[in-house]
Amino acid sequence: MTDFTPPSQPDPAQPAPVSDDPRAALQEALQEIKQVIVGQDAMLERLLVALLAGGHVLLEGVPGLAKTLTIKTMSQVLGGSFARIQFTPDLVPSDIIGTRIYRPNSGDFETGLGPVFANFVLADEINRAPAKVQSALLEVMQEGQVTIAGTAYEVPKPFIVMATQNPIESEGTYPLPEAQVDRFLMKVLVDYPTTSEESAVVGRSLAGERDVRELLTLDRLARYRDAAREVIVGREVISYAVALTDATRNPAAHGLHELSGQVQHGASPRGSIGLVHAARVLALLRGRGHATTQDVRDLARDVLRHRLVLSYDALASGITPDDILDRTIATVADPSGHGLTSGRSRAA
């Protein structure tokens, strides 16, 4: 009797082979995520940029726009651990960072680490938790560690917090103070899909939940983050990022006299830093070894919109931060001499 050896099957626990080129590998990962997520290309690109730039993202959109599914799918494709925290008014800081637990059988205390100890943390409806809980999470975001009973515990790397908030419901919420919102690298507005995209979403729902492949590993992501740090950022790119940020603080100095009474507080230098760091990651995703002013311009609204505090007159007139930024981007001179594009780019 002849022995029969069945053909080897790919191990689902092992990542599928991908290109060694960072851009090709990351684009392949994005395409795998898009097998599940339809019509949110810009959001997916921004989430990947934030992850590689070491920042966090605040997602604002009405319920039902696949924010939770997006983050969970990203963790599956990129090979990281995922945790979801549903923020409610009765949460306490230990519910998210962990606490000391007494074990009667041994008479000792053990440390129970909270759900923030994951690579991808979804803080669902962050504005529903009281200030102490919000501050505890934002401290983890800034320091990359938590302290329990005098001992510091580092969160896993990479680490990204994606917080969501509902813009149409304010009852029972605790809005994030401006100083805390400023800790997010980006605020991404998640809009409704088009009718054709929604038809595709409905069609896919009939087929049931779709499995995705794990294409990358945390080691690969760390290498791609290092590769992003090697992207060249020229002086003109830095100057342009600083000029855009400064224009939100001193609009009259940049010929934006009509905005002087509309912005109460502009973006801090953290806005300029965020723009430059995000721009070089975007350049890597676009297959370039250098960042351009176009990269800065494409990300300016996402990086700056949550850092603006508008005046009461502007709010009463229905003016939004994006209205201010649209005018700013259209007016501030581009030192590279390239043509300006004042319209918003929806596609990734």
Side-chain angles (χ1 to χ4, degrees), residues 121-213:
V121 177
L122 172 62
D124 215 355
E125 294 191 282
I126 188 175
N127 55 336
R128 290 204 172 276
K132 281 188 177 181
V133 178
Q134 294 177 3
S135 297
L137 177 66
L138 292 164
E139 180 182 4
V140 182
M141 293 164 50
Q142 183 70 18
E143 306 297 335
Q145 65 178 29
V146 301
T147 302
I148 303 174
T151 302
Y153 299 89
E154 290 191 359
V155 295
K157 301 292 189 299
F159 175 69
I160 181 172
V161 171
M162 288 158 278
T164 69
Q165 61 181 14
N166 182 350
I168 61 175
E169 186 177 359
S170 58
E171 184 177 352
T173 61
Y174 302 81
L176 290 171
E178 285 76 11
Q180 293 184 345
V181 172
D182 194 48
R183 299 300 176 92
F184 287 94
L185 174 62
M186 298 184 193
K187 178 181 179 181
V188 178
L189 303 182
V190 186
D191 203 357
Y192 290 107
T194 64
T195 53
S196 60
E197 291 167 347
E198 189 167 353
S199 295
V201 170
V202 174
R204 290 187 184 185
S205 71
L206 298 175
E209 186 175 348
R210 178 171 183 149
D211 294 329
V212 293
R213 299 173 297 161

Coordinates of all heavy atoms in Angstrom, one line a residue, residues 121-213:
V121 N -6.7 49.8 20.2 CA -7.7 50.0 21.2 C -8.8 50.9 20.7 O -8.5 52.0 20.2 CB -7.1 50.6 22.5 CG1 -8.2 50.9 23.5 CG2 -6.1 49.7 23.1
L122 N -10.1 50.4 20.7 CA -11.2 51.2 20.3 C -11.9 51.8 21.5 O -12.4 51.0 22.3 CB -12.2 50.4 19.5 CG -13.5 51.0 19.1 CD1 -13.3 52.3 18.3 CD2 -14.5 50.1 18.5
A123 N -11.8 53.1 21.7 CA -12.5 53.8 22.7 C -13.9 54.3 22.2 O -13.9 55.4 21.6 CB -11.7 54.9 23.3
D124 N -14.9 53.4 22.3 CA -16.2 53.7 21.7 C -16.9 54.8 22.5 O -17.2 54.6 23.7 CB -17.0 52.4 21.6 CG -17.8 52.4 20.3 OD1 -17.8 53.4 19.6 OD2 -18.4 51.3 20.0
E125 N -17.3 55.8 21.8 CA -18.1 57.0 22.4 C -17.3 57.5 23.7 O -17.8 57.5 24.8 CB -19.5 56.5 22.8 CG -20.3 56.2 21.6 CD -21.8 56.0 21.9 OE1 -22.2 55.0 22.4 OE2 -22.6 57.0 21.7
I126 N -16.1 57.9 23.4 CA -15.2 58.4 24.5 C -15.8 59.6 25.3 O -15.6 59.7 26.5 CB -13.8 58.8 23.9 CG1 -12.9 59.1 25.0 CG2 -14.0 60.0 23.0 CD1 -11.5 59.4 24.6
N127 N -16.7 60.3 24.6 CA -17.3 61.5 25.3 C -18.4 61.1 26.3 O -19.1 62.0 26.9 CB -17.8 62.5 24.3 CG -18.7 62.0 23.3 OD1 -18.7 60.8 23.0 ND2 -19.6 62.8 22.7
R128 N -18.7 59.8 26.4 CA -19.7 59.4 27.4 C -19.1 59.1 28.8 O -19.9 58.8 29.7 CB -20.5 58.2 26.9 CG -21.4 58.5 25.7 CD -22.5 57.5 25.6 NE -23.4 57.9 24.5 CZ -24.4 58.8 24.7 NH1 -24.6 59.3 25.9 NH2 -25.2 59.2 23.8
A129 N -17.8 59.1 28.9 CA -17.2 58.8 30.2 C -16.8 60.1 30.9 O -16.5 61.1 30.2 CB -15.9 57.9 30.0
P130 N -16.8 60.0 32.2 CA -16.4 61.3 33.0 C -15.0 61.6 32.8 O -14.2 60.9 32.3 CB -16.8 60.9 34.4 CG -16.8 59.4 34.5 CD -17.2 59.0 33.1
A131 N -14.6 62.8 33.3 CA -13.3 63.4 33.0 C -12.2 62.5 33.5 O -11.1 62.4 32.9 CB -13.2 64.8 33.7
K132 N -12.3 61.9 34.7 CA -11.2 61.0 35.2 C -10.9 59.9 34.3 O -9.7 59.5 34.1 CB -11.6 60.5 36.6 CG -11.5 61.5 37.8 CD -11.7 60.8 39.1 CE -11.5 61.8 40.2 NZ -11.7 61.2 41.6
V133 N -11.9 59.3 33.7 CA -11.7 58.1 32.8 C -11.0 58.6 31.5 O -10.1 58.0 31.0 CB -13.0 57.4 32.5 CG1 -12.8 56.3 31.5 CG2 -13.6 56.9 33.8
Q134 N -11.5 59.7 31.0 CA -10.9 60.3 29.8 C -9.4 60.6 30.0 O -8.6 60.3 29.2 CB -11.7 61.6 29.4 CG -13.1 61.3 28.9 CD -13.8 62.6 28.6 OE1 -13.2 63.7 28.7 NE2 -15.1 62.5 28.2
S135 N -9.1 61.2 31.2 CA -7.8 61.6 31.5 C -6.9 60.4 31.6 O -5.7 60.4 31.2 CB -7.7 62.4 32.8 OG -8.4 63.6 32.6
A136 N -7.4 59.3 32.2 CA -6.6 58.1 32.4 C -6.2 57.5 31.0 O -5.1 57.1 30.8 CB -7.4 57.0 33.2
L137 N -7.2 57.5 30.1 CA -6.9 57.0 28.7 C -5.9 57.9 28.0 O -5.0 57.4 27.4 CB -8.2 56.9 27.9 CG -8.0 56.4 26.5 CD1 -7.5 55.0 26.4 CD2 -9.3 56.5 25.7
L138 N -6.1 59.2 28.1 CA -5.2 60.1 27.4 C -3.8 60.1 28.0 O -2.8 60.3 27.3 CB -5.8 61.5 27.5 CG -7.1 61.7 26.6 CD1 -7.9 62.9 27.0 CD2 -6.8 61.6 25.2
E139 N -3.7 59.8 29.3 CA -2.3 59.6 29.9 C -1.6 58.4 29.2 O -0.4 58.5 28.9 CB -2.4 59.5 31.4 CG -1.1 59.3 32.0 CD -1.2 59.1 33.5 OE1 -2.3 59.0 34.0 OE2 -0.2 59.0 34.2
V140 N -2.4 57.3 29.0 CA -1.8 56.1 28.4 C -1.4 56.5 27.0 O -0.3 56.1 26.5 CB -2.8 55.0 28.4 CG1 -2.2 53.8 27.7 CG2 -3.2 54.7 29.8
M141 N -2.2 57.3 26.3 CA -1.9 57.7 24.9 C -0.6 58.5 24.8 O 0.2 58.3 23.9 CB -3.0 58.5 24.3 CG -4.3 57.7 24.1 SD -5.8 58.7 23.9 CE -5.2 59.8 22.6
Q142 N -0.4 59.3 25.8 CA 0.8 60.2 25.8 C 2.0 59.5 26.3 O 3.1 59.7 25.7 CB 0.5 61.4 26.7 CG 1.6 62.5 26.7 CD 1.7 63.2 25.4 OE1 0.8 63.2 24.5 NE2 2.9 63.8 25.1
E143 N 1.9 58.7 27.3 CA 3.1 58.1 28.0 C 3.4 56.7 27.5 O 4.5 56.3 27.6 CB 2.9 58.1 29.5 CG 2.6 59.5 30.1 CD 3.7 60.5 29.9 OE1 4.9 60.0 29.8 OE2 3.4 61.7 29.9
G144 N 2.4 56.0 26.9 CA 2.6 54.7 26.5 C 2.8 53.7 27.6 O 3.3 52.6 27.4
Q145 N 2.3 54.1 28.8 CA 2.4 53.2 30.0 C 1.3 53.6 31.0 O 0.8 54.7 30.9 CB 3.8 53.3 30.6 CG 4.1 54.6 31.2 CD 5.4 54.7 31.9 OE1 6.4 54.0 31.5 NE2 5.6 55.5 32.9
V146 N 1.1 52.7 31.9 CA 0.2 53.0 33.1 C 1.0 52.7 34.3 O 1.9 51.8 34.3 CB -1.1 52.3 33.0 CG1 -1.9 52.6 31.7 CG2 -0.9 50.8 33.1
T147 N 0.6 53.3 35.4 CA 1.2 53.1 36.7 C 0.1 52.6 37.6 O -0.9 53.2 37.9 CB 1.8 54.4 37.3 OG1 2.8 54.9 36.3 CG2 2.5 54.1 38.6
I148 N 0.4 51.4 38.2 CA -0.5 50.7 39.1 C 0.2 50.4 40.4 O 1.2 49.6 40.3 CB -1.2 49.5 38.5 CG1 -1.9 49.8 37.2 CG2 -2.2 48.8 39.5 CD1 -2.4 48.6 36.5
A149 N -0.2 50.9 41.5 CA 0.4 50.7 42.8 C 1.9 51.0 42.7 O 2.7 50.2 43.2 CB 0.2 49.3 43.2
G150 N 2.3 52.0 42.0 CA 3.7 52.4 42.0 C 4.6 51.7 41.0 O 5.8 52.0 40.8
T151 N 4.0 50.8 40.2 CA 4.8 50.1 39.2 C 4.3 50.5 37.8 O 3.1 50.5 37.6 CB 4.6 48.5 39.4 OG1 5.0 48.2 40.7 CG2 5.4 47.8 38.3
A152 N 5.2 50.8 36.9 CA 4.9 51.2 35.6 C 4.8 50.0 34.7 O 5.6 49.1 34.7 CB 5.9 52.2 35.0
Y153 N 3.8 49.9 33.8 CA 3.6 48.8 32.9 C 3.4 49.4 31.5 O 2.5 50.3 31.3 CB 2.3 48.0 33.2 CG 2.3 47.3 34.6 CD1 1.9 48.0 35.7 CD2 2.8 46.0 34.7 CE1 1.9 47.4 37.0 CE2 2.9 45.4 36.0 CZ 2.4 46.1 37.1 OH 2.4 45.5 38.3
E154 N 4.3 49.0 30.6 CA 4.3 49.6 29.2 C 3.2 48.8 28.4 O 3.1 47.6 28.5 CB 5.6 49.5 28.5 CG 6.7 50.4 29.1 CD 7.9 50.4 28.3 OE1 8.0 49.7 27.2 OE2 8.9 51.1 28.6
V155 N 2.5 49.6 27.6 CA 1.5 49.0 26.7 C 2.3 48.4 25.5 O 3.4 48.8 25.2 CB 0.5 50.0 26.2 CG1 -0.4 50.5 27.3 CG2 1.2 51.2 25.5
P156 N 1.7 47.4 24.8 CA 2.4 46.8 23.6 C 2.6 47.8 22.5 O 1.9 48.8 22.4 CB 1.5 45.7 23.2 CG 0.2 46.1 23.7 CD 0.4 46.8 25.0
K157 N 3.7 47.6 21.7 CA 4.0 48.4 20.6 C 3.8 47.6 19.3 O 4.1 46.4 19.3 CB 5.4 48.9 20.6 CG 5.8 49.7 21.9 CD 5.1 51.0 21.9 CE 5.6 51.9 23.0 NZ 5.4 51.4 24.3
P158 N 3.2 48.2 18.2 CA 2.7 49.5 18.2 C 1.4 49.6 19.0 O 0.7 48.7 19.3 CB 2.4 49.7 16.7 CG 2.2 48.4 16.2 CD 3.0 47.4 17.0
F159 N 1.1 50.9 19.3 CA -0.1 51.1 20.2 C -0.9 52.3 19.6 O -0.3 53.4 19.4 CB 0.3 51.4 21.6 CG -0.8 51.8 22.5 CD1 -1.8 50.9 22.9 CD2 -0.9 53.1 23.0 CE1 -2.8 51.3 23.7 CE2 -1.9 53.5 23.9 CZ -2.9 52.6 24.2
I160 N -2.1 52.1 19.3 CA -2.9 53.2 18.7 C -4.3 53.2 19.3 O -4.9 52.1 19.5 CB -3.0 53.1 17.2 CG1 -3.9 54.3 16.6 CG2 -3.6 51.8 16.7 CD1 -3.9 54.4 15.1
V161 N -4.8 54.3 19.8 CA -6.1 54.5 20.3 C -7.0 55.1 19.2 O -6.6 56.2 18.7 CB -6.2 55.3 21.6 CG1 -7.6 55.6 22.0 CG2 -5.4 54.6 22.7
M162 N -8.1 54.5 18.9 CA -9.0 55.1 18.0 C -10.3 55.3 18.7 O -11.0 54.4 19.1 CB -9.2 54.2 16.8 CG -8.0 54.2 15.8 SD -7.9 52.7 14.8 CE -7.1 51.5 15.9
A163 N -10.6 56.6 19.0 CA -11.7 57.0 19.8 C -12.8 57.5 18.9 O -12.6 58.1 17.9 CB -11.3 58.0 20.8
T164 N -14.1 57.1 19.2 CA -15.2 57.6 18.5 C -16.1 58.5 19.3 O -16.1 58.4 20.5 CB -16.0 56.4 17.9 OG1 -16.7 55.8 19.0 CG2 -15.2 55.4 17.2
Q165 N -16.8 59.4 18.6 CA -17.8 60.2 19.3 C -18.9 60.5 18.3 O -18.7 60.6 17.1 CB -17.2 61.4 19.9 CG -16.6 62.4 18.9 CD -16.0 63.6 19.7 OE1 -15.9 63.6 20.9 NE2 -15.7 64.7 18.9
N166 N -20.1 60.5 18.8 CA -21.3 60.7 18.0 C -21.6 62.2 18.0 O -21.8 62.9 19.0 CB -22.5 60.0 18.6 CG -23.8 60.1 17.8 OD1 -23.9 60.9 16.9 ND2 -24.7 59.3 18.2
P167 N -21.6 62.8 16.8 CA -21.8 64.3 16.7 C -23.3 64.8 16.8 O -23.5 66.0 16.9 CB -21.3 64.6 15.3 CG -21.6 63.4 14.5 CD -21.4 62.2 15.4
I168 N -24.2 63.8 16.8 CA -25.6 64.2 16.8 C -26.3 64.0 18.1 O -27.5 64.3 18.2 CB -26.4 63.5 15.7 CG1 -26.4 62.0 15.9 CG2 -25.8 63.8 14.3 CD1 -27.2 61.2 14.9
E169 N -25.6 63.5 19.1 CA -26.3 63.2 20.4 C -25.4 63.7 21.5 O -24.3 63.3 21.7 CB -26.5 61.7 20.6 CG -27.3 61.4 21.8 CD -27.6 59.9 21.9 OE1 -27.2 59.2 21.0 OE2 -28.2 59.5 22.9
S170 N -25.9 64.7 22.3 CA -25.1 65.3 23.3 C -25.6 65.0 24.7 O -24.9 65.3 25.7 CB -25.0 66.8 23.1 OG -26.3 67.4 23.2
E171 N -26.8 64.4 24.8 CA -27.3 64.1 26.2 C -26.5 63.1 26.9 O -26.2 62.0 26.3 CB -28.8 63.6 26.0 CG -29.5 63.4 27.4 CD -30.9 63.0 27.2 OE1 -31.4 63.1 26.1 OE2 -31.5 62.7 28.2
G172 N -26.1 63.3 28.1 CA -25.3 62.4 28.9 C -23.9 62.2 28.4 O -23.3 61.2 28.7
T173 N -23.3 63.3 27.8 CA -22.0 63.2 27.4 C -21.1 64.2 28.1 O -21.6 65.1 28.7 CB -21.8 63.5 25.8 OG1 -22.3 64.8 25.6 CG2 -22.7 62.5 25.0
Y174 N -19.8 63.9 28.1 CA -18.8 64.8 28.7 C -17.8 65.2 27.6 O -16.8 64.5 27.4 CB -18.1 64.1 29.8 CG -18.9 63.5 30.9 CD1 -19.6 62.3 30.8 CD2 -19.1 64.2 32.1 CE1 -20.4 61.8 31.8 CE2 -19.9 63.7 33.2 CZ -20.6 62.5 33.0 OH -21.4 62.0 34.0
P175 N -18.0 66.3 26.9 CA -17.2 66.7 25.8 C -15.7 66.8 26.2 O -15.4 67.2 27.4 CB -17.7 68.1 25.4 CG -19.1 68.1 25.9 CD -19.1 67.3 27.2
L176 N -14.8 66.3 25.4 CA -13.4 66.4 25.6 C -12.9 67.8 25.7 O -13.2 68.6 24.7 CB -12.6 65.6 24.6 CG -12.8 64.1 24.6 CD1 -12.1 63.5 23.3 CD2 -12.1 63.5 25.8
P177 N -12.2 68.2 26.7 CA -11.6 69.6 26.7 C -10.6 69.7 25.6 O -10.0 68.8 25.1 CB -10.9 69.6 28.1 CG -11.5 68.6 28.9 CD -11.9 67.5 27.9
E178 N -10.4 71.0 25.2 CA -9.5 71.2 24.0 C -8.1 70.7 24.3 O -7.5 70.2 23.3 CB -9.5 72.8 23.7 CG -10.7 73.3 23.1 CD -11.9 73.5 24.0 OE1 -11.7 73.3 25.2 OE2 -13.0 73.7 23.5
A179 N -7.6 70.8 25.5 CA -6.2 70.4 25.8 C -6.1 68.9 25.6 O -5.0 68.4 25.3 CB -5.8 70.8 27.2
Q180 N -7.2 68.1 25.8 CA -7.1 66.7 25.7 C -7.3 66.3 24.2 O -6.7 65.4 23.7 CB -8.2 66.0 26.6 CG -7.9 66.2 28.1 CD -8.9 65.4 28.9 OE1 -9.9 65.0 28.5 NE2 -8.5 65.3 30.2
V181 N -8.2 67.0 23.5 CA -8.5 66.7 22.1 C -7.2 66.9 21.3 O -6.9 66.2 20.4 CB -9.6 67.6 21.6 CG1 -9.7 67.4 20.0 CG2 -10.9 67.2 22.2
D182 N -6.4 67.9 21.8 CA -5.1 68.2 21.1 C -4.1 67.0 21.1 O -3.2 67.0 20.3 CB -4.5 69.4 21.7 CG -3.4 70.0 20.9 OD1 -3.6 70.2 19.7 OD2 -2.3 70.3 21.4
R183 N -4.3 66.1 22.0 CA -3.4 64.9 22.1 C -3.6 63.9 20.9 O -2.8 63.1 20.7 CB -3.6 64.2 23.4 CG -3.3 65.0 24.6 CD -1.9 65.6 24.6 NE -1.6 66.5 25.7 CZ -1.1 66.1 26.9 NH1 -0.8 64.8 27.1 NH2 -0.8 67.0 27.8
F184 N -4.7 64.0 20.2 CA -5.0 63.2 19.1 C -4.2 63.7 17.9 O -4.3 64.9 17.6 CB -6.5 63.1 18.7 CG -7.2 62.2 19.7 CD1 -7.9 62.8 20.8 CD2 -7.3 60.9 19.6 CE1 -8.6 62.1 21.7 CE2 -8.1 60.1 20.5 CZ -8.7 60.7 21.5
L185 N -3.6 62.9 17.1 CA -2.9 63.3 15.9 C -3.9 63.8 14.9 O -3.6 64.8 14.2 CB -2.0 62.2 15.3 CG -1.4 62.4 14.0 CD1 -0.3 63.5 14.1 CD2 -0.7 61.1 13.5
M186 N -5.0 63.1 14.7 CA -6.0 63.4 13.7 C -7.4 63.3 14.3 O -7.6 62.5 15.2 CB -5.9 62.5 12.5 CG -4.6 62.5 11.7 SD -4.7 61.4 10.3 CE -3.0 61.3 9.8
K187 N -8.2 64.1 13.7 CA -9.7 64.0 13.9 C -10.2 63.7 12.5 O -10.2 64.6 11.6 CB -10.3 65.2 14.5 CG -11.8 65.0 14.6 CD -12.5 66.3 15.3 CE -14.0 66.1 15.4 NZ -14.6 67.3 16.0
V188 N -10.8 62.5 12.3 CA -11.3 62.1 10.9 C -12.8 62.1 11.0 O -13.4 61.5 11.9 CB -10.8 60.7 10.5 CG1 -11.3 60.3 9.2 CG2 -9.2 60.7 10.5
L189 N -13.4 62.9 10.0 CA -14.9 62.9 9.9 C -15.3 61.8 9.0 O -14.9 61.7 7.9 CB -15.3 64.2 9.4 CG -14.9 65.5 10.1 CD1 -15.5 66.7 9.5 CD2 -15.3 65.4 11.6
V190 N -16.1 60.9 9.6 CA -16.6 59.7 8.8 C -18.0 60.0 8.3 O -18.9 60.2 9.0 CB -16.7 58.4 9.7 CG1 -17.0 57.2 8.9 CG2 -15.3 58.2 10.4
D191 N -18.1 60.1 7.0 CA -19.3 60.5 6.3 C -20.1 59.3 5.8 O -19.6 58.2 5.8 CB -19.0 61.4 5.1 CG -20.2 62.3 4.8 OD1 -21.2 62.2 5.4 OD2 -20.0 63.2 3.9
Y192 N -21.4 59.5 5.4 CA -22.2 58.5 4.8 C -21.6 58.0 3.5 O -21.0 58.8 2.8 CB -23.6 59.0 4.6 CG -24.4 59.3 5.8 CD1 -24.7 60.6 6.2 CD2 -25.0 58.3 6.5 CE1 -25.5 60.9 7.3 CE2 -25.7 58.5 7.7 CZ -26.0 59.8 8.0 OH -26.7 60.1 9.2
P193 N -21.8 56.7 3.2 CA -21.3 56.2 1.9 C -22.2 56.8 0.8 O -23.4 57.2 1.0 CB -21.4 54.7 2.0 CG -22.5 54.5 3.0 CD -22.4 55.7 4.0
T194 N -21.7 56.7 -0.4 CA -22.6 57.0 -1.6 C -23.6 55.9 -1.8 O -23.5 54.8 -1.2 CB -21.7 57.1 -2.9 OG1 -21.1 55.8 -3.2 CG2 -20.7 58.2 -2.7
T195 N -24.6 56.1 -2.6 CA -25.6 55.1 -2.8 C -25.0 53.8 -3.4 O -25.5 52.7 -3.0 CB -26.7 55.6 -3.7 OG1 -26.2 56.1 -4.9 CG2 -27.5 56.7 -3.0
S196 N -24.1 53.9 -4.3 CA -23.5 52.7 -4.9 C -22.6 52.0 -3.9 O -22.6 50.7 -3.8 CB -22.6 53.1 -6.1 OG -21.5 54.0 -5.7
E197 N -21.9 52.7 -3.0 CA -21.2 52.1 -1.9 C -22.1 51.4 -0.9 O -21.8 50.3 -0.5 CB -20.3 53.1 -1.2 CG -19.1 53.6 -2.1 CD -18.5 54.9 -1.5 OE1 -19.0 55.5 -0.6 OE2 -17.4 55.3 -2.0
E198 N -23.2 52.1 -0.6 CA -24.1 51.5 0.3 C -24.8 50.2 -0.3 O -25.0 49.2 0.5 CB -25.2 52.5 0.7 CG -26.1 52.0 1.8 CD -27.0 53.1 2.4 OE1 -26.8 54.3 2.0 OE2 -27.8 52.8 3.3
S199 N -25.0 50.2 -1.6 CA -25.5 49.0 -2.2 C -24.6 47.8 -2.1 O -24.9 46.7 -1.8 CB -25.8 49.3 -3.7 OG -26.9 50.2 -3.8
A200 N -23.3 48.2 -2.2 CA -22.2 47.1 -2.1 C -22.2 46.6 -0.6 O -22.0 45.4 -0.4 CB -20.9 47.7 -2.5
V201 N -22.3 47.5 0.3 CA -22.4 47.1 1.7 C -23.5 46.2 2.0 O -23.4 45.1 2.6 CB -22.5 48.4 2.7 CG1 -22.7 47.9 4.1 CG2 -21.2 49.2 2.6
V202 N -24.7 46.5 1.5 CA -25.9 45.7 1.7 C -25.7 44.3 1.0 O -26.0 43.3 1.6 CB -27.1 46.4 1.2 CG1 -28.4 45.5 1.3 CG2 -27.4 47.7 2.0
G203 N -25.2 44.3 -0.2 CA -24.9 43.1 -0.9 C -24.0 42.2 -0.1 O -24.2 40.9 0.0
R204 N -22.9 42.7 0.4 CA -21.9 41.9 1.1 C -22.5 41.4 2.4 O -22.1 40.3 2.9 CB -20.7 42.7 1.4 CG -19.9 43.0 0.2 CD -18.5 43.7 0.6 NE -17.8 44.1 -0.6 CZ -16.6 44.6 -0.6 NH1 -16.0 44.8 0.6 NH2 -15.9 44.9 -1.7
S205 N -23.5 42.1 3.0 CA -24.1 41.6 4.3 C -24.9 40.4 4.1 O -25.0 39.6 5.0 CB -25.0 42.7 4.9 OG -26.1 42.9 4.1
L206 N -25.4 40.2 2.8 CA -26.2 39.0 2.5 C -25.3 37.7 2.5 O -25.8 36.6 2.7 CB -26.9 39.1 1.2 CG -27.9 40.3 1.1 CD1 -28.4 40.4 -0.3 CD2 -29.0 40.1 2.1
A207 N -24.0 37.9 2.2 CA -23.1 36.8 2.2 C -22.5 36.4 3.5 O -21.8 35.4 3.6 CB -21.9 37.1 1.2
G208 N -22.9 37.1 4.6 CA -22.3 36.8 5.9 C -21.0 37.4 6.1 O -20.4 38.1 5.3
E209 N -20.4 37.2 7.3 CA -19.2 37.8 7.7 C -18.0 37.2 6.9 O -17.9 36.0 6.7 CB -18.9 37.5 9.2 CG -17.7 38.2 9.7 CD -17.5 38.0 11.2 OE1 -18.5 37.6 11.9 OE2 -16.4 38.3 11.7
R210 N -17.2 38.0 6.4 CA -16.1 37.6 5.5 C -14.8 37.5 6.3 O -14.5 38.4 7.1 CB -15.9 38.6 4.4 CG -14.7 38.2 3.5 CD -14.7 39.0 2.2 NE -13.7 38.6 1.3 CZ -13.7 38.7 0.0 NH1 -14.8 39.2 -0.6 NH2 -12.7 38.3 -0.8
D211 N -14.0 36.5 6.1 CA -12.7 36.3 6.8 C -11.7 37.1 6.0 O -11.7 37.1 4.8 CB -12.3 34.8 6.9 CG -13.3 34.1 7.8 OD1 -13.8 34.7 8.8 OD2 -13.5 32.9 7.6
V212 N -10.7 37.7 6.7 CA -9.6 38.3 6.1 C -8.3 37.6 6.5 O -8.2 37.0 7.5 CB -9.5 39.8 6.5 CG1 -10.7 40.6 5.9 CG2 -9.5 40.0 8.0
R213 N -7.3 37.8 5.6 CA -6.0 37.2 5.9 C -5.1 38.1 6.7 O -5.2 39.4 6.6 CB -5.3 36.9 4.6 CG -6.0 36.0 3.6 CD -5.3 35.9 2.3 NE -5.3 37.2 1.7 CZ -4.4 37.6 0.7 NH1 -3.5 36.7 0.3 NH2 -4.5 38.8 0.1

